[in-house]
């Protein structure tokens, strides 16, 4: 093989590698954007309960105390002690994030995942 053919083959292989990297990066970026675009936006209407998720090492009593310090009304604890369910006073009034909370989630469609079956049975 000639030197020109070898260099052309190496260049062609490098171009294919960069093309593959670009395709993978573009796919990852597009799927992230599609995921963000599909998240629900603000909903007007009645206040939706919020699940406040603390790190697992936070005790249930401490999670409740931190949640009550925000001024929100406590509905119940979740299936595990470090999850607390709060009720905001109004849909337009945001609940302050309790100190040390990892996540604050609206319970529109997540109630079955976060609320224990015992708490749900007591509510009915």
């Amino acid at each position: 093989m000639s030197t020109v053919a070898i260099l052309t083959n190496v260049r062609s292989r490098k171009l294919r590698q960069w093309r593959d990297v670009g395709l993978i990066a573009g796919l990852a970026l597009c799927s992230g954007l599609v995921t963000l675009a599909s998240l629900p936006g603000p909903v007007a209407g009645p206040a939706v309960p919020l699940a406040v998720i603390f790190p697992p090492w936070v005790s249930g009593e401490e999670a409740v105390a931190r949640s009550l310090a925000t001024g929100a009304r406590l509905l119940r604890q979740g299936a595990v002690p470090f999850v607390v369910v709060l009720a905001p006073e109004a849909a337009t009034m945001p609940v302050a994030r309790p100190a040390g909370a990892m996540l604050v989630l609206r319970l529109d469609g997540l109630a079955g995942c976060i609320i224990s079956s015992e708490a749900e049975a007591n509510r009915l």
Side-chain angles (χ1 to χ4, degrees):
M1 237 190 213
S2 70
T3 307
V4 174
I6 292 173
L7 288 175
T8 304
N9 191 16
V10 169
R11 238 185 247 153
S12 174
R13 205 174 309 141
K14 287 283 188 191
L15 286 174
R16 281 193 302 256
Q17 286 175 342
W18 280 109
R19 181 199 63 198
D20 293 345
V21 167
L23 287 173
I24 292 170
L27 180 64
L29 179 66
C30 287
S31 25
L33 290 175
V34 166
T35 302
L36 286 175
S38 68
L39 290 174
V43 177
V48 177
L50 301 172
V52 181
I53 303 173
F54 290 93
W57 54 85
V58 173
S59 69
E61 294 82 22
E62 187 177 352
V64 168
R66 289 181 185 183
S67 298
L68 289 175
T70 65
R73 191 167 45 102
L74 178 71
L75 290 179
R76 63 186 158 271
Q77 280 192 290
V80 289
F82 55 86
V83 175
V84 178
V85 180
L86 301 176
E89 295 302 320
T92 57
M93 176 186 246
V95 173
R97 183 185 202 131
M102 292 183 353
L103 289 172
V104 177
L105 300 171
R106 288 180 28 193
L107 286 182
D108 287 348
L110 298 174
C113 300
I114 296 178
I115 299 173
S116 69
S117 58
E118 294 169 5
E120 193 65 28
N122 291 339
R123 189 176 70 115
L124 299 175

